[in-house]
Amino acid sequence: MIDRRRFIKLVGWTAGLVFMGGYARQLIELPGSQEEIPASHGKVTYAMVIDVKACIGCRRCVYACIKENNIGRASGIAWIRVLAMKHGSIDLDDSEHNYTEAPIPTRWYLPVQCMQCGNPPCVHVCPVKATWKDPDGIIVIDYDRCIGCRYCMAACPYWARHFNWKEPYVPPEEMTPEGGTYGLPFSTSPIRPIGVVEKCTFCAHRTRKGIEPKCVEVCPVGARHFGDLNDPDSIVSKLIRSRQGFRLKEELGTEPHIYYVG
Amino acid sequence: MISLIALTVLLYAPADVHAFPTQTSPCSACHGSDGSGILVVTNATGAAQTSFTVLRGETITIVIEGRGDTHKDYTTGPAIVVEFDPNLYQKITMSGARPGGEGSHSYYIQDGDPNDREPTANDVKGEFTIALAPDTPIQDYTLTVNYPQRGPTGVSSTVTLTVAEKPTPTPAPPPTSTPAPKATPTPTPPLTTTKLDCLKCHEIRLKVHDKLGSGNNACWVCHDALKKKTLRLANETLLPLSDAPKLCWQCHQERYNAWSEGMHGRHGPSYTSVEEKVTCTRCHDPHSPAFPSITPLPPPPPQLPVPPLTTPISITVDTESSQSRAMVALLITAVFMIILMRKR
């Protein structure tokens, strides 16, 4: 026969487990808006082809990216930067970042962002494994693990990573729900916290659903092309085959996944 | 380079067809150099020949050789160019040669070696394999064979291509016992023969495309003169307005090829569906096709100098979020369990 003491104990345990289990589900579940983003898989390898002959340096991609990925408006961070290059030169150090007039006939324009390297130096140097290469080739950052040591920024030869020195502020009405989250399970907010490094994600929240990245969508001259390198019939595979583009700082062995043609 | 060599000779122009758009500056304006060269045109067997006869729907091979230049400043090397009559250009399929620049009706073959500065032998050899469409108009066409890097006006030579009818086997005479039913002629709707006066209603000022002509003649280069909302190719084919790329192709072949390859122009919202092609007129106004100038947005504010951190980086617990609540619930349960265990 069950005595009163054992009965109360049993009820207490059951109530506790039910109470805890209800909340524990929320811990492992994805937050609602991110549930639809398909997980990364190795069947695709994303790549971009940028036609530098077509680019007019209008910076539409820069600002579309800031808005899409909820980059802090006053933090001075832009995942894409467009360099005004001197005619006949590919010296990145000699380029102009803060031009105000474009297009100038003696200049050509080179949009630079995270190259989603096949052999990413930033991943190798991270001491806490907060950044890694997903199977589809996108280099992602777990902002909860990032300790803000900025080793990756020093290692990146393309100046693609940016540190949040300030608390990023995005006006609530301009917030994009999924922007910049990569669909990571523990990312609850589409804005990064202060003190972490961030960079271009190839708009993983769009591209994993089959939509073009925002910069490709807004380019008024159609200079950007996006697709799957594993598919020989994709637009990027075709253009790389026929136009034989170049990649930036190829001699470093980083195997960038952004190709330039012109 | 190639786009400037296009000096097309309009040899065939029926009385009612408007002038095909041509470029006005001669090749020698840019391509001038000194020296003299040679051009040899041969047939497939290697015998020198300047006039060829080909049947409609058949294929012909013309081999052209040229001596390189001692004064080449081209990094791409010399090329042999064949300029076609525009009406013939519509009807041929070329293999092995690349189409010339915009506005030209030419194909070229380029020498792969740009560094042969002192050639002694013919260093450019082009083998043009020309396939004629079965409906090519029968007549003699003049092809201009060009080697534009050589000499102030380039070395050119003229080749005559005669298109002849394919002999058809004589049909067997119909049996006389069963006479064929008399065909009733279908009445054809009366055709309007008066040309439309476009400028009576439309006030359109052409920019860039004003080189097509003036007045109504400029309209009729692309629009059909008799039928509204219809485009017309130079070979009299009528097209709906939605089929504009085929019309644009007549002058802008290089651009058209880049567009069909996916290089030029924009795509649909999805990168997986390549069918959604954005056509020429979505971005270019056909009457002033130059792309509108876009002023650049200002550069983003600089990230440096870094503002000093006034408050230390701290972890804030948001009591509203479900995760924080779950953590608190876990803690309470854990404490509750510990107390229960202790009591036992």
Side-chain angles (χ1 to χ4, degrees), chain A residues 9 13 20 23 26 46 51 57-60 63 75-77 98 100 102 163 165 188 207 210-212 217 219-220 222 225-226 235 239 242-243 261, chain B residues 258 261-263 265-271 291 294-301 303 306-307 309 322-323 325-326 329-330 333 336-337 340 343-344:
Chain A
K9 242 169 126 178
W13 272 103
M20 199 187 78
Y23 276 117
Q26 287 191 6
Y46 292 125
D51 181 3
C58 68
R59 290 207 187 93
R60 293 297 185 280
Y63 284 90
S75 54
I77 294 176
N98 297 317
T100 50
F163 185 67
W165 292 98
T188 50
T207 47
I211 313 170
E212 286 178 335
E217 187 188 293
C219 181
H225 309 280
F226 185 83
I235 186 81
L239 291 181
S242 64
R243 303 270 162 165
V261 296
Chain B
E261 190 190 357
M263 185 74 189
R266 303 175 61 175
H267 314 280
S270 164
Y271 59 85
F291 203 75
I294 299 171
T295 46
L297 295 172
Q303 233 192 323
V306 177
L309 280 177
S322 58
Q323 281 194 24
R325 282 210 302 267
L330 262 180
T333 319
F336 183 66
M337 280 176 167
L340 267 178
K343 276 195 175 169
R344 194 163 52 172

Side-chain angles (χ1 to χ4, degrees), chain A residues 70-144:
Chain A
N70 301 318
I71 300 172
R73 299 295 189 263
S75 54
I77 294 176
W79 290 357
I80 303 173
R81 48 180 113 190
V82 186
L83 313 181
M85 308 290 289
K86 287 204 174 132
H87 192 68
S89 155
I90 192 158
D91 186 3
L92 297 185
D93 291 329
D94 203 17
S95 62
E96 199 186 327
H97 293 212
N98 297 317
Y99 61 88
T100 50
E101 277 180 42
I104 300 171
T106 54
R107 295 281 173 133
W108 62 282
Y109 298 90
L110 181 73
V112 175
Q113 65 208 71
C114 174
M115 300 283 155
Q116 316 294 353
C117 301
N119 178 24
C122 53
V123 168
H124 301 323
V125 297
C126 182
V128 292
K129 301 266 179 283
T131 181
W132 65 87
K133 186 168 79 164
D134 262 355
D136 55 12
I138 301 180
I139 315 293
V140 298
I141 306 171
D142 186 340
Y143 307 118
D144 291 346

Side-chain angles (χ1 to χ4, degrees), chain A residues 140-171:
Chain A
V140 298
I141 306 171
D142 186 340
Y143 307 118
D144 291 346
R145 282 201 217 167
C146 178
I147 56 169
C149 70
R150 309 197 294 283
Y151 281 11
C152 53
M153 287 170 68
C156 176
Y158 304 103
W159 317 318
R161 288 175 169 253
H162 307 272
F163 185 67
N164 277 290
W165 292 98
K166 291 183 191 172
E167 181 76 47
Y169 172 72
V170 179

Side-chain angles (χ1 to χ4, degrees), chain B residues 18 194-198 215-226 232-233:
Chain B
H18 311 292
T194 48
K195 290 185 170 182
L196 297 166
D197 185 5
C198 315
N216 278 327
N217 284 330
C219 310
W220 297 335
V221 173
C222 301
H223 295 276
D224 188 45
L226 308 173
R232 196 191 49 180
L233 301 181

Side-chain angles (χ1 to χ4, degrees), chain A residues 53 242-244 262, chain B residues 1-3 5 76-84 89 92-102 104-112 126-129 249 253-254 257-258 261:
Chain A
K53 206 162 75 181
S242 64
R243 303 270 162 165
Q244 293 151 7
Chain B
M1 172 198 65
I2 297 301
S3 64
I5 58 164
T76 48
I80 290 274
V81 183
V82 178
E83 289 169 18
F84 290 88
Y89 192 75
I92 56 168
T93 322
M94 186 72 84
S95 52
R98 297 169 66 182
E102 291 175 12
S104 75
H105 312 112
S106 58
Y107 278 93
Y108 69 96
I109 289 178
Q110 202 146 33
D111 179 21
E127 198 174 298
F128 296 83
T129 307
W249 170 82
Q253 295 97 356
E254 209 169 53
N257 290 346
E261 190 190 357

Side-chain angles (χ1 to χ4, degrees), chain B residues 308-333:
Chain B
L309 280 177
T310 49
T311 50
I313 299 169
S314 60
I315 300 164
T316 51
V317 178
D318 179 10
T319 50
E320 288 302 307
S321 85
S322 58
Q323 281 194 24
S324 309
R325 282 210 302 267
M327 291 301 286
V328 172
L330 262 180
L331 271 174
I332 293 170
T333 319

